[in-house]
Amino acid sequence: MKKKLIIPGLLLLTAVGMYSCKKDIYNGADSLAEVQFTDSTSTLKSLVSFPLGMAAEYPLSSTNNSYWSVVKREAGWITFGNELKNDAVVKADGTYDFTRADNFYNLATNAGIKVFGHTLVWHSQQRASYYNSLIGGGGSGSGPTNLVVNPGFETTTVGTTAEPADGWQVLNGAGQFVSTGSNVNAGSKALQVNVPAGGQNFNTQIVTKAQIPVTAGKTYTISYYIKGATAQNIQFEIRPYLGATAGSVNYQGGKAVTTAYSKVTYDYAIPVGVTAIQLAFDLGGTQNTLYLDDVSITDASIVAPPTGGALTIIVDNAMKKHIQTVVSRYVGKITAWDVINEPFSDAAELRNNSNTPSTGRTDVFVWQNYLGRDYAAKAFTYARASDPTADLYMNDYNLEASAAKLNAFVAMANELKAANTGITGVGTQMHCNINTSYNMINDMFQKLAATGLKVRISELDIRLNPSEKVGNVGASVALQNLQAAMYNYVVKAYFKYVPEAQRGGITVWGVADTDSWITTSLAKNDAPLLFNATYGKKPAFSGFAQGLKGQ
């Protein structure tokens, strides 16, 4: 249970009074006591011809009658807060479960409410464990561990004829084995074998010095690179151990040697009871100079992660599958989607794993890290192929607060439009404060409208306590008036700078202050929405309604 910090009423009034005297950070306004925000008779959706919506959550919508009554009365559209996000519909094995999303869709449509699809491609709330499994834990791993000690014969510290390289022991043919810096397959060294005439294959024999621990029942891949001055065949042995007891040797003869390095690969299933193996090479019987390099024993069940083009194809196909699966399910039902959400970091950079790290979270998968800037065009193309008539949006936050991010966002929108990807609109979230700059709001709407695309305010809420004062700030008349004024200004600026034909709608991100993500997920002391804890209309509701009326 969280502790509440209570301060005396006089101290609270003093703190609130500090707000009303700082005209420079409130666009020239003070408590706005002379402005009356009291119009609460109209329903919001009745005031406009474009989509007017609210974000809603299924648990509250299906169990809280007061909550759902407000949504039905005020909103013609809803955006699901979570129910259509990736990790809400994608299961751990990559299959889909739309049970909750379908139930919520049916609840809304039975109430005469339309649904806005949110969201198809985002970096957060993803089934990241599944997607990382497709690319080997992130596409940067080194694959299975090679169990052979000194597999490339790179080090020699013993320096005896019995051990020409660390980790290897000569069984037969002392003096025939030498570490060499010439004729290597990779690295700086290889094993040169000077095989004399006559004898049998076991007369020139080398083995891994130590027993290599293995797991019974597993399959291991044994591989090596070899070449000779002349072509021939050689044999290798797998020597199993049941504890300290040697088992029956597995002989693999007839393995070709050519005059250029070639790779030999063999999969060996570990018999029941076997706990370790050794690998031996039988190289005698034919006079020749052989070169052996890069010996490997690995767990065959561990696959090296893809890189380069192979990695790109896997991620691209996964993104395509998700978009097509979700959009196709609701084609003709959900007629507008956030196709890509929050493509840019706070620094106005295209997101990647460096500027958007998971930092311990298990739900982060940054698609553009693997697909680059082209991920956006692909996403819109896949969505458009799945629904030829739906409105398709790109959505981001802080566009009214960061000129750099706004410019990057507009540039991408123009690129997508010029490339005929299917984009029809742009969404600005507008998680604002009572001190957000009017001028920057104006600039944002003008630049978004200049794209010629539809413009939506997609996630509107306005914090009345950006300075994080303590106490019951939501009860402050001064702060409530400043909040109402900002709601009012945002709507009027939208009307002023976005032509009627481009107005994609406005969605308020939540219903009551107590269910806002700002007071729940962020745990902030705030009251950012239109309704209070008992679902009563606040001055913010009146300011918003008057803005919709052009007042």
Side-chain angles (χ1 to χ4, degrees), residues 39-50 52-54 69-76 530-531 537 541-542 544-546 548-549:
D39 181 357
S40 61
T41 58
S42 302
T43 58
L44 298 176
K45 64 185 178 183
S46 70
L47 299 177
V48 292
S49 58
F50 54 70
L52 195 289
M54 290 178 167
S69 293
V70 171
V71 175
K72 290 190 292 184
R73 184 184 71 228
E74 303 294 343
L530 306 181
F531 297 87
K537 296 175 180 177
F541 177 95
S542 300
F544 187 63
Q546 289 174 207
L548 294 175
K549 292 180 179 180

Side-chain angles (χ1 to χ4, degrees), residues 79-157:
T79 300
F80 294 174
N82 294 297
E83 288 76 8
L84 276 171
K85 288 175 180 172
N86 183 284
D87 66 357
V89 295
V90 180
K91 298 169 67 176
D93 63 356
T95 59
Y96 283 76
D97 182 357
F98 289 99
T99 302
R100 175 168 286 202
D102 286 349
N103 288 342
F104 202 4
Y105 176 84
N106 292 333
L107 180 67
T109 53
N110 289 338
I113 300 173
K114 295 182 179 180
V115 175
F116 185 92
H118 178 77
T119 175
L120 296 174
V121 181
W122 191 24
H123 64 275
S124 185
Q125 289 184 252
Q126 307 296 289
R127 186 61 65 189
S129 59
Y130 170 68
Y131 296 116
N132 282 326
S133 74
L134 298 180
I135 61 174
S140 59
S142 58
T145 300
N146 187 357
L147 303 179
V148 176
V149 176
N150 196 22
F153 309 95
E154 297 292 317
T155 62
T156 303
T157 56

Side-chain angles (χ1 to χ4, degrees), residues 167-477:
W168 295 89
Q169 181 177 357
V170 174
L171 296 180
N172 293 298
Q176 298 176 28
F177 298 89
V178 60
S179 178
T180 179
S182 62
N183 291 288
V184 301
N185 177 64
S188 60
K189 295 288 185 67
L191 183 68
Q192 179 177 323
V193 188
N194 303 307
V195 184
Q200 303 294 322
N201 56 13
F202 57 80
N203 292 134
T204 303
Q205 193 176 50
I206 192 169
V207 66
T208 52
K209 183 176 181 180
Q211 295 180 17
I212 298 170
V214 292
T215 301
K218 272 195 171 187
T219 296
Y220 289 79
T221 298
I222 298 169
S223 67
Y224 58 90
Y225 288 83
I226 194 166
K227 77 171 186 174
T230 59
Q232 69 167 92
N233 291 329
I234 61 100
Q235 173 178 283
F236 68 82
E237 305 175 13
I238 303 167
R239 300 183 171 193
Y241 289 85
L242 294 79
T245 305
S248 299
V249 176
N250 181 293
Y251 294 97
Q252 291 295 317
K255 301 301 179 183
V257 177
T258 63
T259 56
Y261 267 115
S262 60
K263 184 178 183 180
V264 178
T265 300
Y266 176 74
D267 285 339
Y268 176 64
I270 305 299
V272 174
V274 171
T275 58
I277 62 173
Q278 285 181 300
L279 179 63
F281 290 93
D282 303 336
L283 305 174
T286 301
Q287 186 175 10
N288 205 348
T289 302
L290 302 174
Y291 297 93
L292 182 67
D293 205 356
D294 300 316
V295 182
S296 176
I297 300 176
T298 60
D299 184 341
S301 66
I302 301 174
V303 179
T307 58
L311 175 62
T312 300
I313 289 171
I314 290 171
V315 177
D316 185 19
N317 285 339
M319 185 178 74
K320 181 179 182 180
K321 175 187 175 182
H322 180 68
I323 293 171
Q324 291 182 338
T325 300
V326 177
V327 175
S328 297
R329 184 175 186 86
Y330 296 102
V331 66
K333 297 178 179 180
I334 295 178
T335 58
W337 291 92
D338 281 331
V339 176
I340 60 173
N341 191 51
E342 301 177 5
F344 296 102
S345 71
D346 290 342
E349 301 170 334
L350 190 69
R351 291 187 184 274
N352 55 45
N353 288 349
S354 295
N355 61 31
T356 310
S358 59
T359 57
R361 290 177 56 183
T362 59
D363 66 338
V364 174
F365 188 83
V366 187
W367 299 89
Q368 51 268 53
N369 183 78
Y370 309 101
L371 301 178
R373 192 175 184 86
D374 194 39
Y375 98 107
K378 290 181 175 181
F380 277 98
T381 300
Y382 300 148
R384 176 57 69 221
S386 300
D387 191 334
T389 61
D391 274 332
L392 305 179
Y393 285 84
M394 177 171 66
N395 189 48
D396 216 328
Y397 67 92
N398 274 2
L399 303 183
E400 75 288 343
S402 168
K405 191 170 187 179
L406 172 63
N407 291 337
F409 182 85
V410 168
M412 178 173 277
N414 286 329
E415 290 174 17
L416 294 170
K417 181 183 177 183
N420 295 316
T421 61
I423 187 173
T424 58
V426 287
T428 172
Q429 293 183 14
M430 296 204 75
H431 296 294
C432 299
N433 301 317
I434 55 175
N435 57 359
T436 298
S437 165
Y438 285 177
N439 288 334
M440 294 189 74
I441 291 173
N442 298 343
D443 184 55
M444 175 194 69
F445 281 135
Q446 291 177 75
K447 288 183 177 179
L448 294 179
T451 65
L453 299 166
K454 290 185 177 181
V455 178
R456 333 179 31 243
I457 301 175
S458 58
E459 302 184 16
L460 179 63
D461 51 33
I462 297 172
R463 291 185 60 181
L464 56 67
N465 186 23
S467 299
E468 300 193 17
K469 301 296 182 181
V470 296
N472 187 13
V473 293
S476 164
V477 174

